[in-house]
């Protein structure tokens, strides 16, 4: 494949990126021609050129005169027919190869863009006169500018608690094999940037390596033919921990330590281990029958084995390095005593080490540590990370006392930080279950023990609370081991038993909380507390997850009632008077639309912060954000700064989902940048306003703005609900105009697409909901209803210019509203009515198609028009030219995949829908079944390709 690159000044900042894309595209073109022939390559080039011309015409049309517009529209119609004809004329084998060509191209472009982000960041860090926005350097400079003294800074650092949590929503459509090869290509691009240092022979070898890697990428299947098992997902999540974050996270801490030391050279400031990683993978039981109690242990044991192996490798490397001889150094008495204890503990290994090591105390100590990490004997092995951390600090203190500061602060300091952060569990595991599962299990236990003859699960809330109060006040436990219970209840009981076992085996930090999906009432929290009591679990944070609009509105009342419950209040005391509250971005957006969801999340956080202050309880907000805007995605630094005042307070948990893992953590430098954006945002948002300089003191949001947002939310909610939930035939339109019914065959995760067997939008999970709209280029969940709300709000006032001016002022002066509208610009830029129209033609009922597609298109145009009036500019993202250019350059390459997907969906559905054949059924399949299977494979390829091109799935 080729890309046209106009002449440009070589000093232009994006010139290296364009060069990289051109170089990678050429290598891909060679691979295609070598393995598939010239006809496939030419078809790819034809489609690329025509789709690019179609896009150019569409952009020119915006500012064309009437005569020019007519001519452009005629040309666009002709191009559209030509593209459709090429697509329809391809046989299935050619279709698959062409789809693969565009898909692989996007993997290469994504890799090049990520590498360029690193390149630009490094360049700007070296040449810019001021630190880059969102960097740790900018954060420390902000502290100094605002006169924050060392004591205040230490207090701020001590209160920080940041968890980035990998969820069990693996919407990453890209196979791990492709991710690994993309990383290899990124490494080659790094080497290419240093090509001036290569000899001609090395350059030739580099070129051969690049072309062979891309050829392997071309011949690697992009589609998973088997649905991932839980262990597969655990390993995929752990890939980023083992390959990237184990090294990157300590580097982040080291940079912050150095910056703070340089800024406060006379002070002894310490950086606590405030940033950690968590995971739901292996612990999220909500709606996933494949996750059970044993899965929790499987996940933790696998992660434990991985992190121990990393520690052993690091200790082995240190042992090889630390060759100090007792003839030339001295050690502390504490270290000498420790060596004697180790020798007594491991006499055989002590003899194996020999006399030479006896004169090399640091090497000898590290060797003992390496051996203790290997053994399974509990009398010898380290039983907690605190024990190995104590030994590492013993070595460090001895080195410092002997004047070896540089040695003590080198790799040893990195390993100390790794043990502090990763412990023996690597990533803390959260456990999640639906609230109804607890209620049903308790109802069965009460009935079979004879405590209640009626059905607890249907009792009024006040009766449930009374029952739970009595159960929690009774020190006795139910004789459940003598009872025969249903499989569902056994599952719940066994899960809590396993949590207790896991915390005993790996430490309390191995499982950090228990999340209750669809929390609505106080009894939801008390039920989990009851099961913890029965299992003998103490001080485990119980985290309600509020997901719908109604739940967000009532969450404060729910927690207020819980805080007045003596039993629950005692539980909070055991959790250091800290309450985590998880807020669902995905489901609230699906329930009420993006504007109402964003606003209700803002209000809920404000009320929760006030609630915590009244009761003397620290509230940590757990943000259930997804990668797509419709699920709370967007630039993280801006999102954190846009949180309501006084709601962060140094403590935050944020989910990292799906395709965002490879985007944010696929490369070392990108992972560092993402983490520092989070740290900088949280640390900056947590500085109390009264200690800032007067010119920078936080102002309260004007009440008029709050009233305006409430008004807009009400209007957007009504418009959104009217289409999605109040239009009886909308579900039929959605299922025919998007690939929602085909998504489940993609094998991107072990969890079903629906919470239950019901066939309605309510039961559909937010991930496939957003994913399917993204595929069809409607991107509807991320913007629908906003335009109508803005237009109606302005039109209600006779002085419309005043209301428009107010919205413009809100955009420029209120971080929350600014971030919301900027995210809206991005999603509208990825939406495409022209392509979406082709998907609408898949709807069999013409009247239904016309009615709904017309409403959607009108709202898209209305939203775009209103947005531009507020943010300014002639086109979307004029305020973000880099992002604007990236989307515009990608669109002509995504479009052919959309044309193919529509054509393939039409053919596949006409002969019975998706079908996947295994090796056994392949042999006995009929001709039509084989055709269905091949068409299914081709559709899945387009889904992968479009996801890679738009950089969003769900």
């Amino acid at each position: 494949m080729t890309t046209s690159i106009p002449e440009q000044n070589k000093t232009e900042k994006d010139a290296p990126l364009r060069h990289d894309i051109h170089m990678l595209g050429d290598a891909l073109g060679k691979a295609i021609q070598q393995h598939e022939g010239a006809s496939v390559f030419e078809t790819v080039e034809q489609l690329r050129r025509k789709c690019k011309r179609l896009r150019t015409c569409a952009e020119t049309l915006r500012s064309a005169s009437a005569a020019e517009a007519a001519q452009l529209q005629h040309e666009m119609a002709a191009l559209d027919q030509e593209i459709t004809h090429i697509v329809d004329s391809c046989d299935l084998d050619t279709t698959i190869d062409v789809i693969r060509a565009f898909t692989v191209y996007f993997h290469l472009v994504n890799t090049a863009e990520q590498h360029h982000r690193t390149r630009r960041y490094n360049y700007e860090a070296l040449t810019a006169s001021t630190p880059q926005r969102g960097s740790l350097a900018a954060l420390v400079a902000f502290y100094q500018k605002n006169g924050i003294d060392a004591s205040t800074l230490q207090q701020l650092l001590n209160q920080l608690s940041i968890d980035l949590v990998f969820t069990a929503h693996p919407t990453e459509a890209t196979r791990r094999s492709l991710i690994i090869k993309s990383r290899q290509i990124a490494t080659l691009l790094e080497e290419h940037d240093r090509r001036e240092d290569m000899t001609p022979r090395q350059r030739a070898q580099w070129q051969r390596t690049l072309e062979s890697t891309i050829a392997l990428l071309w011949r690697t299947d992009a589609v998973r033919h088997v649905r991932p098992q839980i262990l597969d997902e655990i390993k995929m999540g752990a890939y980023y921990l083992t390959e990237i974050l184990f090294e990157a996270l300590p580097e982040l801490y080291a940079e912050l330590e150095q910056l703070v030391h340089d800024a406060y050279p006379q002070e002894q400031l310490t950086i606590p281990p405030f940033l950690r990683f968590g995971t739901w993978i292996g612990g999220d039981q909500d709606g996933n029958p494949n996750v059970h109690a044993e899965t929790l242990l499987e996940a933790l044991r696998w992660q434990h084995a991985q992190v121990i192996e990393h520690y052993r490798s690091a200790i082995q490397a240190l042992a090889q390095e630390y060759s100090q001889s007792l003839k030339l150094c001295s050690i502390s008495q504490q270290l000498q005593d420790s060596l004697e204890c180790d020798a007594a503990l491991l006499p055989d290994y002590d003899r194996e080490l020999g006399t030479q090591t006896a004169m090399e105390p640091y090497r000898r100590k590290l060797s003992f540590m390496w051996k203790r990490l290997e053994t399974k004997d509990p009398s010898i092995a380290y039983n907690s990370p605190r024990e190995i951390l104590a030994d590492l600090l013993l070595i460090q203190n001895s080195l410092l006392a002997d004047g070896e500061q540089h040695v003590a602060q080198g790799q040893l300091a990195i390993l100390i930080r790794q043990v502090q952060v990763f412990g023996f569990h690597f990533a803390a595991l959260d456990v999640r279950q639906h609230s109804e599962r607890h209620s049903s299990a308790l109802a069965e236990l009460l009935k079979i023990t004879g405590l209640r003859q009626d059905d607890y699960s249907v009792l009024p809330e006040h009766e449930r609370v009374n029952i739970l109060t009595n159960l929690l006040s009774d020190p006795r436990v139910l004789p459940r081991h003598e009872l025969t219970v249903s499989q569902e209840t056994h599952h719940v009981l066994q899960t809590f038993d396993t949590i207790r076992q896991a915390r005993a085996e790996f430490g309390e930090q191995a499982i950090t909380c228990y999340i209750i999906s669809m929390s609505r009432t106080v009894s939801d929290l008390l039920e989990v507390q009851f099961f913890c009591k029965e299992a003998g679990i103490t001080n485990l944070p119980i985290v309600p997850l509020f997901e719908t609009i109604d739940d967000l509105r009532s969450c404060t009342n729910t927690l207020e009632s819980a805080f007045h419950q003596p039993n629950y209040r005692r539980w909070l005391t055991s959790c250091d008077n800290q309450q985590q509250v998880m807020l669902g971005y995905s489901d609230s957006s699906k329930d009420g639309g993006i504007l109402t969801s964003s606003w209700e999340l803002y209000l809920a956080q404000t009320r929760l912060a006030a609630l915590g202050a009244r009761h003397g309880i620290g509230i940590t907000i757990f943000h259930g954000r997804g990668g797509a805007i419709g699920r709370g995605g967007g630039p993280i630094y801006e999102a954190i700064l846009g949180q309501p005042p006084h709601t962060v307070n140094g403590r935050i948990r944020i989910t990292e989902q799906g395709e965002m893992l490879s985007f944010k953590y696929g490369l070392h430098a990108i992972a560092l940048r993402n983490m520092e954006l989070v740290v900088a945002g949280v640390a900056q948002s947590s500085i109390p306003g009264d200690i800032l300089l007067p010119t920078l003191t936080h102002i309260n949001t004007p009440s008029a703005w709050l009233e305006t947002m409430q008004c807009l939310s009400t209007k957007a909610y009504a418009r959104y609900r009217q289409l999605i939930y109040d239009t009886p035939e909308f579900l039929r339109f959605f299922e025919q105009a998007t690939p929602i019914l085909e998504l489940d065959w993609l094998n991107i995760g072990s969890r079903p697409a629906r919470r239950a067997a019901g066939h309605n939008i309510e039961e559909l999970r937010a991930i496939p909901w957003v994913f399917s709209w993204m595929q069809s280029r409607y991107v509807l969940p991320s913007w629908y209803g906003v335009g109508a709300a803005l237009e109606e709000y302005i039109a209600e006032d006779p002085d419309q210019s005043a209301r428009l001016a107010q919205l413009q002022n809100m955009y420029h002066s209120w971080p929350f509203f600014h971030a919301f509208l900027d995210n809206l610009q991005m999603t509208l830029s990825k939406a495409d009515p022209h392509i979406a129209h082709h998907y609408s033609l898949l709807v069999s009922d013409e009247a239904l198609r016309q009615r709904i597609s017309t409403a959607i298109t009108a709202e898209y145009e209305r939203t775009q028009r209103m947005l531009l009036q507020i943010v300014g500019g002639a086109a979307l993202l004029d305020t973000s030219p880099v992002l604007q250019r990236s989307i515009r350059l990608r669109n002509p390459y995504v479009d052919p995949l959309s044309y193919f997907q529509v054509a393939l969906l039409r053919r596949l559905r006409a002969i019975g829908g998706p079908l996947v054949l295994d090796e056994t059924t392949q042999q006995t399949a009929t001709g039509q079944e084989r055709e269905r299977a091949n068409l299914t494979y081709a559709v899945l390829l387009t889904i992968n390709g479009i996801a890679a091109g738009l950089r969003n799935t769900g």
Side-chain angles (χ1 to χ4, degrees):
M1 296 177 72
T2 61
T3 53
S4 58
I5 304 179
E7 287 298 318
Q8 54 206 306
N9 188 334
K10 293 299 181 184
T11 62
E12 187 204 341
K13 65 180 183 179
D14 288 335
L17 171 61
R18 280 194 268 275
H19 177 269
D20 287 348
I21 292 174
H22 184 73
M23 177 174 62
L24 296 174
D26 282 350
L28 175 59
K30 288 181 181 178
I32 294 171
Q33 292 182 80
Q34 176 185 352
H35 295 292
E36 313 305 334
S39 62
V40 170
F41 180 78
E42 183 52 39
T43 302
V44 170
E45 288 297 289
Q46 270 189 302
L47 286 169
R48 180 186 65 82
R49 287 192 294 266
K50 291 184 183 297
C51 286
K52 187 173 183 180
R53 177 57 190 164
L54 183 59
R55 285 282 175 178
T56 302
C57 290
E59 291 179 11
T60 308
L61 185 62
R62 295 194 189 111
S63 56
S65 64
E68 292 171 333
Q71 184 176 352
L72 284 168
Q73 288 170 342
H74 177 75
E75 184 180 357
M76 290 171 65
L79 284 166
D80 188 66
Q81 289 183 349
E82 291 169 13
I83 295 167
T84 301
H85 176 71
I86 294 172
V87 167
D88 290 341
S89 299
C90 289
D91 60 63
L92 195 52
D93 287 341
T94 301
T95 292
I96 288 171
D97 286 335
V98 173
I99 293 167
R100 290 179 57 237
F102 284 105
T103 301
V104 174
Y105 174 74
F106 280 126
H107 289 306
L108 296 175
V109 170
N110 292 342
T111 302
E113 286 189 347
Q114 281 194 301
H115 173 65
H116 188 62
R117 283 173 60 198
T118 303
R119 180 163 48 204
R120 288 301 309 165
Y121 179 71
N122 292 338
Y123 175 78
E124 289 172 10
L126 290 172
T127 60
S129 57
T130 58
Q132 190 173 9
R133 177 174 167 81
S135 66
L136 295 179
L139 173 66
V140 175
F142 182 82
Y143 287 153
Q144 290 185 291
K145 181 179 179 180
N146 285 276
I148 295 176
D149 60 31
S151 176
T152 304
L153 176 56
Q154 187 66 68
Q155 184 179 349
L156 289 168
L157 291 170
N158 290 343
Q159 77 179 30
L160 289 178
S161 177
I162 304 171
D163 291 338
L164 301 175
V165 184
F166 295 173
T167 72
H169 307 162
T171 54
E172 174 60 78
T174 306
R175 290 183 60 210
R176 180 175 174 178
S177 297
L178 300 183
I179 292 172
I180 292 172
K181 285 183 172 55
S182 295
R183 188 177 172 201
Q184 292 169 348
I185 291 168
T187 301
L188 288 168
L189 292 177
E190 289 178 22
E191 295 174 2
H192 187 260
D193 287 346
R194 301 187 297 272
R195 59 190 176 278
E196 292 80 4
D197 299 329
M198 294 184 188
T199 65
R201 187 174 183 178
Q202 289 171 329
R203 290 178 190 174
Q205 178 59 45
W206 180 91
Q207 186 66 36
R208 286 193 294 271
T209 303
L210 176 71
E211 291 180 1
S212 65
T213 304
I214 291 177
L216 285 171
L217 187 65
W218 170 249
R219 305 194 83 178
T220 300
D221 198 342
V223 172
R224 296 184 183 93
H225 293 278
V226 178
R227 182 172 294 279
Q229 301 300 304
I230 296 298
L231 185 58
D232 298 323
E233 294 176 347
I234 292 168
K235 291 179 179 179
M236 187 66 204
Y239 167 81
Y240 300 101
L241 292 167
T242 58
E243 298 297 321
I244 307 293
L245 294 171
F246 188 75
E247 300 293 341
L249 191 50
E251 188 174 327
L252 180 89
Y253 279 108
E255 181 183 356
L256 183 56
E257 284 177 335
Q258 188 63 53
L259 287 166
V260 168
H261 174 75
D262 293 345
Y264 300 84
Q266 305 304 318
E267 309 294 339
Q268 295 297 316
L269 294 169
T270 59
I271 309 296
F274 59 82
L275 174 62
R276 294 183 174 88
F277 279 84
T279 180
W280 284 10
I281 309 174
D284 184 5
Q285 301 181 346
D286 178 20
N288 191 342
N290 302 305
V291 179
H292 41 77
E294 187 58 34
T295 311
L296 274 64
L297 289 176
E298 189 175 25
L300 286 171
R301 286 170 179 163
W302 196 87
Q303 289 179 182
H304 173 76
Q306 295 296 307
V307 77
I308 293 300
E309 190 57 39
H310 274 69
Y311 292 156
R312 296 189 78 228
S313 296
I315 287 171
Q316 184 178 35
L318 284 173
Q320 291 173 349
E321 180 184 348
Y322 285 12
S323 57
Q324 299 99 317
S325 170
L326 280 174
K327 292 183 177 180
L328 302 170
C329 75
S330 62
I331 64 172
S332 67
Q333 185 60 48
Q334 292 86 348
L335 180 57
Q336 181 61 46
D337 293 344
S338 174
L339 284 167
E340 292 173 4
C341 290
D342 288 338
L345 193 66
L346 294 162
D348 293 340
Y349 188 65
D350 182 40
R351 286 190 292 273
E352 185 181 330
L353 288 175
T355 55
Q356 175 63 33
T357 309
M359 294 298 296
E360 298 169 341
Y362 292 110
R363 178 171 288 171
R364 187 165 177 244
K365 177 62 182 176
L366 289 162
S367 298
F368 281 130
M369 294 174 67
W370 180 85
K371 188 66 175 178
R372 289 183 67 186
L373 282 171
E374 176 190 52
T375 184
K376 303 298 182 183
D377 186 342
S379 65
I380 297 174
Y382 288 109
N383 293 308
S384 74
R386 287 190 300 274
E387 294 180 4
I388 188 173
L389 187 60
D391 273 354
L392 290 170
L393 291 172
L394 198 66
I395 294 172
Q396 188 179 55
N397 290 334
S398 180
L399 288 168
L400 290 171
D402 199 31
E404 296 197 61
Q405 281 82 2
H406 291 300
V407 175
Q409 299 303 329
Q411 288 299 120
L412 176 62
I414 291 174
L415 179 56
I416 288 171
R417 183 65 78 180
Q418 286 166 333
V419 174
Q420 288 176 337
V421 173
F422 298 115
F424 278 0
H425 56 273
F426 225 152
L429 186 67
D430 291 357
V431 181
R432 184 172 78 135
Q433 183 57 279
H434 198 285
S435 58
E436 291 181 359
R437 292 292 300 274
H438 307 129
S439 175
S440 298
L442 180 55
E444 182 179 355
L445 285 175
L446 292 175
K447 183 167 288 189
I448 63 176
T449 55
L451 293 177
R452 300 286 302 192
Q453 295 305 312
D454 51 2
D455 186 352
Y456 164 87
S457 62
V458 299
L459 292 176
E461 172 64 7
H462 72 276
E463 290 191 38
R464 287 195 190 197
V465 171
N466 287 337
I467 293 170
L468 287 160
T469 299
N470 292 330
L471 289 170
L472 290 169
S473 301
D474 190 336
R476 297 172 298 175
V477 297
L478 299 179
R480 55 192 178 87
H481 296 296
E482 304 169 13
L483 305 174
T484 301
V485 297
S486 66
Q487 184 176 352
E488 290 75 15
T489 297
H490 177 71
H491 178 110
V492 171
L493 294 171
Q494 189 181 31
T495 295
F496 284 92
D497 287 340
T498 303
I499 291 172
R500 176 180 47 77
Q501 178 186 346
R503 296 180 99 203
E505 186 174 337
F506 303 107
E508 290 184 352
Q509 292 303 311
I511 295 182
T512 49
C513 68
Y514 191 100
I515 301 165
I516 312 166
S517 297
M518 286 297 171
S519 294
R520 293 195 168 96
T521 61
V522 175
S523 61
D524 291 334
L525 282 75
L526 297 181
E527 286 163 2
V528 172
Q529 186 183 350
F530 164 77
F531 285 114
C532 285
K533 166 184 169 284
E534 293 292 298
I537 299 169
T538 58
N539 69 342
L540 176 67
I542 298 172
V543 184
L545 168 52
F546 300 103
E547 300 181 72
T548 68
I549 298 298
D550 286 342
D551 294 340
L552 289 175
R553 289 169 177 167
S554 63
C555 67
T556 314
N557 293 335
T558 301
L559 284 170
E560 177 96 57
S561 299
F563 292 169
H564 282 105
Q565 289 289 325
N567 287 307
Y568 191 72
R569 192 59 190 253
R570 281 194 293 272
W571 188 265
L572 284 177
T573 302
S574 74
C575 297
D576 299 323
N577 283 318
Q578 294 291 326
Q579 173 69 64
Q580 286 185 42
V581 183
M582 187 168 186
L583 303 178
Y585 286 65
S586 306
D587 284 282
S588 62
S589 177
K590 176 171 159 285
D591 182 38
I594 189 66
L595 194 155
T596 300
S597 169
S598 300
W599 181 235
E600 291 297 340
L601 287 161
Y602 185 95
L603 292 177
Q605 291 178 70
T606 303
R607 293 193 298 266
L608 287 167
L611 173 69
R614 287 199 306 273
H615 287 270
I617 294 171
I619 301 289
T620 299
I621 304 296
F622 189 175
H623 297 266
R625 292 161 48 94
I629 300 302
R631 299 186 54 238
I636 189 63
Y637 179 69
E638 311 300 336
I640 294 172
L641 293 184
Q643 299 305 304
H646 317 301
T647 59
V648 178
N649 299 324
R651 304 181 68 87
I652 199 168
R653 301 191 88 213
I654 304 171
T655 55
E656 298 284 27
Q657 301 189 16
E659 81 281 5
M660 303 314 293
L661 296 185
S662 61
F663 180 68
K664 290 183 176 181
Y665 303 108
L667 298 176
H668 182 94
I670 297 296
L672 274 173
R673 176 59 175 159
N674 180 67
M675 290 187 292
E676 79 166 348
L677 285 169
V678 175
V679 172
V682 172
Q684 188 171 329
S685 298
S686 302
I687 302 174
D690 57 1
I691 69 171
L692 297 177
L693 292 175
T695 56
L696 291 173
T697 300
H698 293 307
I699 60 170
N700 291 324
T701 306
S703 59
W705 293 2
L706 302 178
E707 292 169 3
T708 296
M709 277 304 303
Q710 187 59 52
C711 180
L712 291 171
S713 174
T714 301
K715 297 177 186 301
Y717 180 80
R719 181 61 65 103
Y720 177 85
R721 295 286 301 191
Q722 180 184 29
L723 176 70
I724 308 300
Y725 293 97
D726 298 337
T727 303
E729 295 177 302
F730 180 79
L731 180 60
R732 185 150 60 95
F733 175 90
F734 168 58
E735 290 182 337
Q736 293 184 23
T738 75
I740 179 62
L741 299 178
E742 289 75 20
L743 281 182
D744 199 42
W745 297 84
L746 191 57
N747 292 328
I748 61 174
S750 64
R751 194 174 68 163
R754 295 180 181 272
R755 289 185 185 271
H759 185 70
N760 53 52
I761 293 176
E762 286 84 351
E763 292 295 342
L764 183 68
R765 292 188 181 275
I767 292 172
W769 167 255
V770 173
F771 198 159
S772 54
W773 286 117
M774 182 68 71
Q775 286 281 311
S776 60
R777 311 292 289 282
Y778 281 103
V779 201
L780 182 141
S782 301
W783 55 265
Y784 192 85
V786 180
L790 292 169
E791 183 180 65
E792 187 179 338
Y793 174 74
I794 292 175
E796 283 177 344
D797 194 320
D799 185 7
Q800 297 185 10
S801 61
R803 287 204 166 181
L804 177 59
Q806 181 205 34
L807 293 170
Q808 291 169 338
N809 188 23
M810 289 167 62
Y811 172 71
H812 291 294
S813 305
W814 189 10
F816 162 76
F817 197 59
H818 187 95
F820 175 75
L821 292 189
D822 277 356
N823 284 338
L824 201 63
Q825 286 196 76
M826 191 268 280
T827 55
L828 285 172
S829 296
K830 290 190 174 183
D832 190 296
H834 172 76
I835 296 295
H837 170 72
H838 283 269
Y839 283 87
S840 73
L841 296 176
L842 294 170
V843 179
S844 57
D845 186 330
E846 185 175 353
L848 174 65
R849 177 175 72 240
Q850 289 291 343
R851 186 168 73 254
I852 293 183
S853 63
T854 299
I856 293 174
T857 301
E859 178 63 5
Y860 173 85
E861 293 172 352
R862 184 184 298 114
T863 304
Q864 181 175 240
R865 183 178 68 253
M866 298 309 302
L867 188 59
L868 289 175
Q869 288 183 35
I870 296 169
V871 305
L876 295 170
L877 292 175
D878 276 354
T879 54
S880 302
V882 174
L883 180 57
Q884 181 189 65
R885 183 163 54 250
S886 174
I887 292 174
R888 285 181 175 175
L889 289 173
R890 284 170 175 269
N891 277 334
Y893 296 84
V894 180
D895 292 347
L897 295 171
S898 296
Y899 278 94
F900 273 115
Q901 189 176 91
V902 170
L904 291 165
L905 286 172
R906 183 177 289 112
R907 289 174 59 186
L908 179 59
R909 291 171 180 178
I911 61 171
L915 179 67
V916 174
L917 300 175
D918 56 28
E919 292 183 5
T920 303
T921 55
Q922 187 90 27
Q923 297 173 0
T924 58
T926 65
Q928 187 182 62
E929 286 173 335
R930 289 196 182 92
E931 183 183 5
R932 285 175 63 194
N934 290 334
L935 285 169
T936 300
Y937 176 69
V939 168
L940 300 183
L941 281 172
T942 64
I943 293 173
N944 273 293
I946 293 170
L950 296 178
R951 300 214 76 154
N952 277 115
T953 54

